[in-house]
Every structure is written in C-alpha cells, then in structure tokens.
Amino acid sequence: MFGEMKVFSGSSHPDLAGGIATHMGMPLGRLKVTRFSNENIKVKIEENVREADVFVIQSSCPPVSDNLLELLILIDALKFASAARITAVLPYFPYARSDKKDEARISITARLVADLLETAGADRVLTMTLHAPQILGFFRKPADQLLATPILTNYFRSKDLSNATVVATDAGAAKFAGHFAKRLSVPMAIIDKRRFDDSEKAQSVALIGDVKDRDAIIYDDEIATGGSIKEAARIIREFGARSVRVGVTHPVLSGNALETLRAAELDELVVTDSIPVSAAFTKAMPNLKVLSTAALFGDAILRIHGGRSISEMMD
Ligand code: R5P
C-alpha cells in the first residue's frame, strides 16, 4: 500500500479539480505556479508529499502546450519531492486525435505525450473516453480509461426514448456509440463521414440505418469545430429524423464551434465538463447541458488508491 493520498490540480481546469476534491471530501494540495516574463514556468509544491500517493489533475485545453508542459513540470517537482507514486489524471487526453500513422511521415503525438508523462515521472495515468482505445497501449505504465457513457446515458434515460435512435458520426465512433445504444436499449445508425484534407472540414455522405420519424441522438467522443455534428444533423434531418439531440464527451469547441453549432439547430447538446466550457458559450447556447464528471473521477481515484477495480465502475 502507498502512503497518504493527496490530490493536486494544474491550472487548466480548477472547477473540475475542485469538484473532484469536494466529492472525495478532501482539500486540494497546495502548490504555486509562477509564469515568468520569458514564459518559463516554475512549480513549487507547498506541502510535504514524501511517500504520498499523489494524483495530479490536468485536462487538455487552451493553451494546450502550456498546460501539458505545466503538468510535466508538476510531475517532475512531485517526483523530486519524494512522492511514492504519481498518477496523472487527464480528463481529456492531449493530442488524442494524433494516434495513428495513416499518412506517410506523420507524427503520432499521443504516443509522444505518453512517453513524456513517463519521462517526467508519472507512475500511472487515469483518463476518460480516448479518441481510440489503442492509445492505452502507448503507455509502458498502468493506464486506466474511464468512460463518460454512463453519465451521458443516465441523462438521456430521463427523456422519452420510445422512438430514439443513436447515431454514430462515423465508423470510428461506432463502437462506443454501440455501447451507448445498448445502454439505452435503442437501435443505432452510422454516418459515413469523410475528411479529404487537414482543413478540419468533414462531409457526411451516407447514413446506414433508419432514422425516419425518429428522435436521433448523435454520439461522438468530442466536438472540435462542430463541423462533424453540423454535417451529421444535416444528413439525419435529410433522412427524415423528427428531432436531433447530441451526446458528446469532450467539448473541445475550437475554431468557429459556436457559430457552427448554432447553425446546426440542435434540439439539445449534451457534453461533460472534461474541458471547461466558457460562460459566453453557455450563454449563447441555451440548449447546452454540461454534465459533471467530478464524482466519476473522484470515485476512480479512491479506487486506485485502495487497489480496487476501475472496470466494474463502467458496468
Ligand atoms: C474525429 O474523428 C472525432 O471523433 C470527432 O468526430 C471530431 O473530433 C469532431 O471534429 P469537428 O467538430 O471539428 O468536426
């Protein structure tokens, strides 16, 4: 067994880190991050962590590179302050979409991030809904993946699902969308989505399955520019759906996401708080619902500390 459990937060998502600590009934560890005029970052751990079982929460959100570097520096500081075990808790994993060599001479940055975390001194990783589950294989240390599916499905269960169909935005999302549909006991359809270049523009070209006169619930792992969701909503309506709701884990909401998602005229957009959603965005999207993952992460941290199963949380 490891020593005392301690939870620290980087600067990226203090609200979620605070929620996790509150759920666990303990305060966040004290630390100070200083950013100098030359953009260098200094971290000082302001309490004793010798032989402690330490968890560091840092999600990937803008400024992505700064937040990643801050996490690496934090882990390094904890390691040299003699923490016994360090778990990096990454609600949204950095560079998750850079996970395969599907073009010549391209970087696989999610694997590089895994290497960097290990080099900095992380002994374990805890993350949620990876873009592709094989990213877990990039780590040479234990890595656990939580799924937001139970949080999203519990929410949708409170709605009338008698006429619902879950729709995956592409073949990549189909596996998790299948779990989602199964949990809701509703049928599923899949969109044939194509990307032709690096412009972040996606095109939905076909739909496999039946959405005519049905209440569609689009499932995806993340929304970045909102283009995939807008395209999905367009084709689902073209095929005769009577309503379009969306359940997505990570609200990346980059580029012109606000304009794009407003133009998509969704009946409801449901996301988790794995990434902070700005107040301006929430105000401009009255049909947006943000679900908390604090209890999920808090329980997972308690289980890791106690040596208990994580997978049974997903059952
Ligand atoms: C990509 O394959 C992911 O699963 C999402 O569909 C994608 O990140 C969404 O990007 P965007 O919102 O820019 O279309």
Side-chain angles (χ1 to χ4, degrees):
M1 281 301 282
F2 292 89
E4 191 188 351
M5 178 172 54
K6 296 200 175 224
V7 180
F8 288 86
S9 170
S11 323
S12 66
H13 200 345
D15 286 353
L16 176 56
I20 293 171
T22 303
H23 177 79
M24 295 171 67
M26 59 188 290
L28 284 170
R30 284 178 287 113
L31 63 86
K32 188 171 170 206
V33 177
T34 308
R35 287 189 156 72
F36 295 104
S37 58
N38 62 359
E39 295 190 11
N40 286 192
I41 300 168
K42 173 184 159 192
V43 167
K44 180 170 166 53
I45 310 297
E46 295 196 308
E47 62 184 67
N48 178 28
V49 292
R50 274 181 196 275
E51 303 310 324
D53 188 14
V54 175
F55 295 80
V56 193
I57 302 163
Q58 182 82 311
S59 204
S60 180
C61 52
V64 170
S65 303
D66 276 13
N67 284 334
L68 174 58
L69 195 62
E70 184 192 276
L71 173 64
L72 298 173
I73 296 170
L74 240 162
I75 292 171
D76 182 75
L78 288 161
K79 179 173 73 179
F80 285 99
S82 302
R85 180 171 76 166
I86 302 166
T87 302
V89 181
L90 296 135
Y92 176 57
F93 194 79
Y95 285 89
R97 282 167 74 182
S98 177
D99 63 346
K100 58 191 154 311
K101 194 141 190 168
D102 54 0
E103 282 176 56
R105 299 180 296 282
I106 58 165
S107 49
I108 308 177
T109 316
R111 198 257 310 125
L112 174 63
V113 172
D115 287 349
L116 290 170
L117 289 168
E118 190 178 335
T119 302
D123 298 296
R124 306 185 61 95
V125 167
L126 173 64
T127 187
M128 183 173 72
T129 310
L130 288 163
H131 180 56
Q134 63 264 26
I135 295 175
L136 282 183
F138 292 167
F139 299 97
R140 282 164 298 176
K141 294 279 172 91
D144 292 303
Q145 176 184 208
L146 301 173
L147 298 177
T149 325
I151 295 175
L152 292 166
T153 49
N154 280 349
Y155 176 78
F156 282 108
R157 259 196 219 113
S158 66
K159 311 270 169 182
D160 174 15
L161 292 173
S162 55
N163 200 36
T165 295
V166 167
V167 184
T169 49
D170 60 18
K175 195 169 173 194
F176 282 140
H179 293 153
F180 194 79
K182 194 171 164 207
R183 286 185 77 99
L184 293 177
S185 307
V186 304
M188 174 186 160
I190 303 173
I191 291 173
D192 179 5
K193 178 180 94 176
R194 312 274 170 96
R195 287 186 194 275
F196 299 98
D197 51 33
D198 277 345
S199 67
E200 296 192 57
K201 281 212 174 71
Q203 202 182 334
S204 297
V205 291
L207 190 139
I208 305 153
D210 185 19
V211 293
K212 189 158 169 42
D213 298 324
R214 299 194 63 85
D215 299 311
I217 305 175
I218 301 174
Y219 171 84
D220 208 350
D221 58 328
E222 64 170 63
I223 299 181
T225 64
S228 299
I229 294 296
K230 186 174 167 219
E231 270 292 285
R234 177 189 64 75
I235 200 160
I236 288 167
R237 286 210 179 88
E238 240 172 66
F239 276 76
R242 65 180 194 188
S243 71
V244 180
R245 286 181 284 164
V246 176
V248 163
T249 302
H250 304 298
V252 179
L253 306 176
S254 52
N256 291 328
L258 181 57
E259 292 73 21
T260 307
L261 289 168
R262 277 166 65 98
E265 294 180 6
L266 306 169
D267 292 280
E268 192 174 23
L269 172 58
V270 184
V271 299
T272 79
D273 63 353
S274 65
I275 297 171
V277 178
S278 71
F281 200 100
T282 315
K283 199 168 162 214
M285 291 276 299
N287 54 350
L288 175 74
K289 175 88 188 163
V290 183
L291 305 176
S292 172
T293 59
L296 182 71
F297 278 102
D299 290 344
I301 291 171
L302 290 167
R303 279 171 177 262
I304 290 171
H305 179 67
R308 286 182 292 135
S309 166
I310 294 291
S311 65
E312 66 186 27
M313 291 175 71
M314 302 294 115
D315 292 341

